[in-house]
Amino acid sequence: MSAVVHLNRKLVLEEAQRTSDGAGGYVETWVHLGTLWAAIQAGTGTETSEDFLTVSRVPMKIVVRGAPVGSKRRPKPDQRFVEGGRVFRILAVTEMDAQGHYLTCNAREEVTS
């Protein structure tokens, strides 16, 4: 029997799309793929200095409903979740339970200050 999961956060799933800029390079835009309900658990954050900025990083475990491999509803690494002004970059995805009812997305939120 799996644990009770409270999917109480509405997240937008996005994927990067590259288009030519006409000068030999590209422009990266984020395309909306859909909305998923999720449970979010924050880990212990760190803070580092990079190029005159302070960057705070917090690992996140984001749980969403299961979807089969290859489905457009299944999150993948290098996609991201967005909630308002917050962005969670997806690093890895795995089944939370043996039946595949839920997926755990290991993600990271980065904020500059």
Side-chain angles (χ1 to χ4, degrees), residues 7-14 32 34-41 60 62 80-89 109:
L7 305 177
N8 59 357
R9 305 278 289 271
K10 191 175 182 180
L11 304 180
V12 175
L13 180 62
E14 295 182 338
H32 177 102
T35 303
L36 300 173
W37 286 94
I40 300 178
Q41 178 183 356
M60 301 282 186
I62 300 175
R80 70 184 191 179
F81 289 116
V82 177
E83 180 185 42
R86 299 177 73 182
V87 177
F88 308 99
R89 190 171 71 102
E109 179 180 27

Side-chain angles (χ1 to χ4, degrees), residues 45-100:
T46 61
E47 183 177 85
T48 58
S49 294
E50 296 179 9
D51 299 326
F52 306 105
L53 292 173
T54 302
V55 179
S56 298
R57 292 182 176 94
V58 180
M60 301 282 186
K61 287 195 181 214
I62 300 175
V63 176
V64 297
R65 291 198 193 286
V69 175
S71 168
K72 291 181 181 183
R73 295 181 335 118
R74 185 183 176 103
K76 298 185 290 193
D78 294 327
Q79 291 179 336
R80 70 184 191 179
F81 289 116
V82 177
E83 180 185 42
R86 299 177 73 182
V87 177
F88 308 99
R89 190 171 71 102
I90 301 171
L91 306 172
V93 179
T94 187
E95 285 78 13
M96 183 178 152
D97 56 338
Q99 297 79 23

Side-chain angles (χ1 to χ4, degrees), residues 9-29:
R9 305 278 289 271
K10 191 175 182 180
L11 304 180
V12 175
L13 180 62
E14 295 182 338
E15 183 171 62
Q17 186 175 58
R18 291 182 177 184
T19 54
S20 173
D21 66 2
Y26 65 89
V27 176
E28 185 174 85
T29 57

